[in-house]
Amino acid sequence: MIIESPQNKIFKEAMLLKDKKHRQKSGFFLVEGKKQIEEINDRWNIKHIFLSRGFAEKKLYPKDKKTFTLSDSLFGKLASTETPQGIIAVVEKKDYNAETVLKENGFFAVLENIQDPGNLGTIIRSADAFGAKAVFVSKGSADIYSDKTMRSAMGSIFHIPVIAETDIENVLEIMKKESIKIFAASLDAQTYLKDTFFPKKSAVVIGNESKGLSAKTQKTADNLVKIDIPGKAESLNAAIAASIIMYRISLK
């Protein structure tokens, strides 16, 4: 079946998902690109797959009742990239229980007011790469389901729990109850990352790109740490700093 009318119900519902409020209301989001869609495992529910006419003709993706071919014009409207690969999925969000997730041994990433979707996606990808058990993203941060965040995360959202709209104060309180040692990245820290010991259950908290962590969050943390910078740069990009810290934790 080739959908050519912009009034088609299935197409119109998918188009609404380009807007954050509709993603929140419906519980679904868009995943664009063959590589990202290949990362979606069986624990996730794919509602629809849209193929461009050219992609469909190449027979690069098996067709079933969830698969629809769009005219080039409609696919261009649904796609977020300038040169789309020809495949987009509508995927159902997953809900996670913070208390259950935090019972696992390992380390966790907590992100407070990360505004840039590229930074957010990169941190999620690094968390996945370095073995984090979950990523908690605070209210006020960029949307984890936006196209820019998804592209930067490169499918890592399907590998580890990423919990959006998190109440940081509540999550840190649960971590304390679970005996998780909380380390906050801060330029005010007296301890350098290289001299820090991370126990079996740890969490690293990364703050806003320009303002850093709130005073309340820093006070709640068990330790403040900072990265030793021997060069002349005053600070590091939030995503780079988070990646370095998580790599260091992974070495323990």
Side-chain angles (χ1 to χ4, degrees):
M1 174 185 175
I2 298 178
I3 298 175
E4 297 183 337
S5 170
Q7 299 306 314
N8 177 275
K9 182 181 178 182
I10 295 173
F11 174 74
K12 287 175 69 176
E13 288 178 351
M15 281 293 292
L16 289 174
L17 298 178
K18 292 170 73 72
D19 185 85
K20 180 180 178 180
K21 68 179 182 181
H22 288 289
R23 291 195 293 269
Q24 292 177 322
K25 182 179 179 179
S26 69
F28 288 88
F29 62 103
L30 299 174
V31 181
E32 183 174 342
K34 187 172 183 290
K35 178 67 173 67
Q36 284 203 70
I37 291 172
E38 287 174 344
E39 297 298 320
I40 303 173
N41 55 54
D42 293 339
R43 296 191 300 273
W44 292 78
N45 174 40
I46 298 177
K47 185 178 182 181
H48 298 308
I49 293 283
F50 295 102
L51 309 178
S52 67
R53 191 188 296 265
F55 192 94
E57 290 174 351
K58 294 176 183 177
K59 298 181 180 179
L60 298 174
Y61 193 86
K63 290 187 177 182
D64 57 28
K65 63 181 181 180
K66 295 181 179 180
T67 309
F68 300 89
T69 300
L70 298 179
S71 67
D72 291 341
S73 174
L74 293 188
F75 194 90
K77 291 179 180 179
L78 185 60
S80 296
T81 54
E82 291 185 11
T83 54
Q85 295 179 20
I87 183 168
I88 298 171
V90 175
V91 183
E92 187 174 12
K93 295 180 182 181
K94 287 185 74 68
D95 292 323
Y96 299 96
N97 181 279
E99 293 188 4
T100 300
V101 170
L102 291 172
K103 288 188 180 298
E104 286 200 57
N105 288 326
F107 81 89
F108 305 88
V110 182
L111 312 181
E112 183 179 68
N113 295 327
I114 298 296
Q115 303 278 294
D116 184 87
N119 281 341
L120 177 57
T122 299
I123 295 172
I124 292 170
R125 188 179 180 186
S126 292
D128 177 24
F130 297 127
K133 295 300 181 182
V135 180
F136 294 87
V137 182
S138 79
K139 297 174 182 176
S141 293
D143 181 13
I144 68 173
Y145 300 107
S146 75
D147 61 289
K148 291 182 180 179
T149 303
M150 294 293 294
R151 284 202 301 273
S152 295
M154 288 294 290
S156 286
I157 193 172
F158 303 116
H159 301 164
I160 61 173
V162 181
I163 300 94
E165 300 293 322
T166 295
D167 183 320
I168 293 291
E169 185 177 347
N170 181 57
V171 166
L172 296 183
E173 185 179 318
I174 297 172
M175 287 181 171
K176 295 275 189 180
K177 292 178 181 178
E178 292 294 333
S179 300
I180 297 171
K181 202 79 168 178
I182 301 169
F183 297 84
S186 172
L187 293 176
D188 297 327
Q190 300 300 310
T191 305
Y192 285 111
L193 178 64
K194 64 182 180 180
D195 301 320
T196 303
F197 169 75
F198 293 92
K200 195 172 184 179
K201 298 192 73 169
S202 304
V204 57
V205 192
I206 305 295
N208 178 269
E209 290 89 342
S210 60
K211 299 178 181 178
L213 290 169
S214 66
K216 189 170 186 178
T217 297
Q218 291 194 54
K219 187 176 181 180
T220 302
D222 297 300
N223 297 87
L224 302 182
V225 298
K226 63 182 177 181
I227 299 169
D228 184 17
I229 302 177
K232 295 182 180 180
E234 291 184 1
S235 61
L236 294 171
N237 169 281
I240 293 174
S243 299
I244 290 172
I245 294 170
M246 289 189 287
Y247 170 69
R248 171 67 180 81
I249 296 174
S250 75
L251 297 179
K252 69 179 186 295

